Amino acid sequence: MNAPMLDPQGSAPNPGESETERWVWDEVQAGREAHLNARLGEHLDPRAGDDPRWRDERRQIGAAFIERVLTGRPWRDALNFRGLRVAGARVADRLDLNSAPVAAVVWLDGCRFEDAVVLEEAQFAQSLSFDGSTFEAGLSIEGA
């Protein structure tokens, strides 16, 4: 199966599988932070896992989406210099970037990660931020 290609303007097809993921990609492509707290009009504390508002599907982005955007073609090539910047998201599944080369800026701030985040041996060429994020099942960064 062939990977999607960039169009002549350098855009990639939207990799999102949900409305929220498609919105995040549109914001990222426009060079903006995809700030779900601002979009939904309420700031949630990532440590407050018992807050039912974290279950709102409009806050959910999949780990597969993050992995696809950061490591898959053509999306990684379509990220502009501002990279992937998301705030206030809930990621319920395991984010595994083990040994992945990541060329873009990555900010996943004020997010709630409910399964493990594995960055062992990942190679980040630019900044990585999880400012204010919570890792319910741990963050593994050995060798990153």
Side-chain angles (χ1 to χ4, degrees):
M1 181 170 144
N2 292 334
M5 302 294 291
L6 292 174
D7 68 21
Q9 290 77 35
S11 297
N14 194 310
E17 294 181 358
S18 68
E19 177 186 336
T20 299
E21 290 175 354
R22 288 187 291 276
W23 177 81
V24 166
W25 180 252
D26 289 344
E27 291 297 289
V28 166
Q29 286 292 279
R32 296 185 293 262
E33 177 180 25
H35 205 300
L36 291 161
N37 290 325
R39 179 181 190 217
L40 299 174
E42 55 189 4
H43 179 83
L44 300 184
D45 181 350
R47 296 170 295 181
D50 58 346
D51 186 333
R53 296 175 295 172
W54 278 111
R55 303 289 179 261
D56 185 335
E57 67 183 33
R58 297 173 299 166
R59 283 204 182 267
Q60 175 78 36
I61 61 172
F65 170 78
I66 297 169
E67 293 170 17
R68 190 167 39 252
V69 166
L70 294 177
T71 65
R73 284 203 164 127
W75 304 286
R76 70 176 186 200
D77 299 331
L79 287 170
N80 68 31
F81 70 93
R82 289 189 175 93
L84 177 64
R85 298 178 185 213
V86 180
R90 174 180 174 243
V91 181
D93 44 340
R94 179 184 174 97
L95 176 58
D96 190 347
L97 294 172
N98 185 26
S99 299
V102 179
V105 169
V106 180
W107 289 4
L108 299 169
D109 295 341
C111 294
R112 181 171 173 73
F113 295 89
E114 295 181 350
D115 202 337
V117 175
V118 180
L119 306 178
E120 294 175 4
E121 303 298 327
Q123 301 146 20
F124 290 90
Q126 298 192 47
S127 64
L128 171 65
S129 173
F130 289 108
D131 189 38
S133 291
T134 297
F135 303 93
E136 290 295 315
L139 169 64
S140 180
I141 59 173
E142 188 174 326

